Amino acid sequence: MNDLKNTQFFQVASGPQIQARDILEIVFLALKEKGYNPVNQIVGYIMSGDPTYITSHNGARSLIMKVERDELVEEMLKSYIEHHSWE
């Protein structure tokens, strides 16, 4: 047994973090698979913060709630700017 007077150090390795871009793609596909209009549903979620706009299919609802809504908007705007070669 180690010296009980010293504090032991315990570290848990974190797994890979999923990016906002990946979450948007997963959510988009899940909404599409369930027959929803993904753009309308994602906009509804971002504007209201109400997670019921997002289907729970394939874990989409729990995934999208892991990212702040402003991060989702930022990711979409960056993608739009890149796609239109504004930079």
Side-chain angles (χ1 to χ4, degrees):
M1 185 178 256
N2 292 337
D3 185 3
L4 296 177
K5 294 178 184 174
N6 293 325
T7 301
Q8 297 297 314
F9 181 73
F10 181 78
Q11 183 176 5
V12 177
S14 63
Q17 299 287 37
I18 188 164
Q19 302 295 315
R21 171 175 278 179
D22 299 326
I23 289 174
L24 282 168
E25 182 178 358
I26 292 166
V27 169
F28 183 92
L29 293 173
L31 287 164
K32 196 169 185 170
E33 283 177 14
K34 293 303 282 183
Y36 296 108
N37 180 324
V39 173
N40 289 348
Q41 297 305 113
I42 293 170
V43 168
Y45 170 69
I46 290 172
M47 297 297 291
S48 71
D50 183 355
T52 61
Y53 278 97
I54 307 301
T55 181
S56 59
H57 179 65
N58 289 342
R61 186 178 297 156
S62 62
L63 268 178
I64 204 164
M65 292 188 316
K66 291 182 179 185
V67 180
E68 296 293 328
R69 290 179 293 150
D70 62 321
E71 291 179 57
L72 297 172
V73 172
E74 182 180 339
E75 187 60 42
M76 290 185 288
L77 183 58
K78 284 195 297 188
S79 179
Y80 185 87
I81 289 169
E82 288 172 11
H83 180 73
H84 287 84
S85 303
W86 289 356
E87 288 189 321

